Amino acid sequence: MRDRLRDALDPVPRERFLVYLMGPYKSIDSGSKAEADGDDDLFDLLVTLRDRLRTESGVNAFLAVDPEIPLEEVDAATQSIAFARASNAVVFVLPFSGENLGVGIEVGSVLEDVYQSADPERAERTLVVHEAGVRSAMLGGVTRRWDATVYDYEDADELAFRTKEFVGNVIAREAAGSLSNLE
């Protein structure tokens, strides 16, 4: 899957460093085209974050719709897990408003796959970043059960800063050898 993702995405300086971004938005078709329906602002937030990571950090950040893998080929839940497994870092963005059911299922399925994995590093590569004001008992569970990192953010700039900080930490840890270098 790593090779398929890299082949589908535009080149960046760190093209081998994949960052899978997830958050609430709706696609208007069941295929792979990125069209937001009713959640334009939320979709734009994710697209802007993706683009900033690609240009400012040089990493191969992507949304599930970017590689254009049809849902008829691989269903959404299986795609999310496969994309997360193939990525150097996984980032869940949870804004205050938005479609919570779909992203909640996605977060839970990916985190449970991490939990059941024999690879203890996967949790250290996972960030849940939520808008200030988002409250959920499950956010506490993210750090306790799945050992993932949780940050909050006030605005789009702080979201980008927090995410770039996390991604930079994973890059540095791979370079130092405290996390394996995914190739």
Side-chain angles (χ1 to χ4, degrees), residues 10-105:
D10 293 333
V12 292
R14 290 186 172 110
E15 75 175 31
R16 300 193 65 78
F17 194 93
L18 297 172
V19 179
Y20 180 33
L21 297 173
M22 292 176 271
Y25 65 88
K26 295 182 281 185
S27 178
I28 63 169
D29 65 29
S30 62
S32 58
K33 285 284 183 195
E35 295 288 339
D37 175 20
D39 286 328
D40 292 336
D41 292 341
L42 300 176
F43 186 74
D44 289 346
L45 179 71
L46 292 171
V47 168
T48 299
L49 179 60
R50 177 203 62 200
D51 293 349
R52 288 188 69 179
L53 286 168
R54 292 179 67 78
T55 58
E56 296 171 18
S57 298
V59 296
N60 222 343
F62 68 99
L63 303 174
V65 294
D66 291 336
E68 296 187 5
I69 297 174
L71 293 176
E72 294 78 27
E73 180 182 336
V74 182
D75 67 82
T78 304
Q79 274 188 21
S80 291
I81 292 169
F83 292 164
R85 287 178 179 172
S87 296
N88 299 70
V90 176
V91 178
F92 299 101
V93 178
L94 305 175
F96 190 71
S97 62
E99 292 291 325
N100 293 325
L101 177 60
V103 77
I105 291 170

Side-chain angles (χ1 to χ4, degrees), residues 93-97 100 128-137 139 150-153:
V93 178
L94 305 175
F96 190 71
S97 62
N100 293 325
V128 175
V129 59
H130 64 88
E131 189 171 4
V134 170
R135 300 286 181 257
S136 168
L139 284 173
V150 177
Y151 291 155
D152 66 358
Y153 70 94

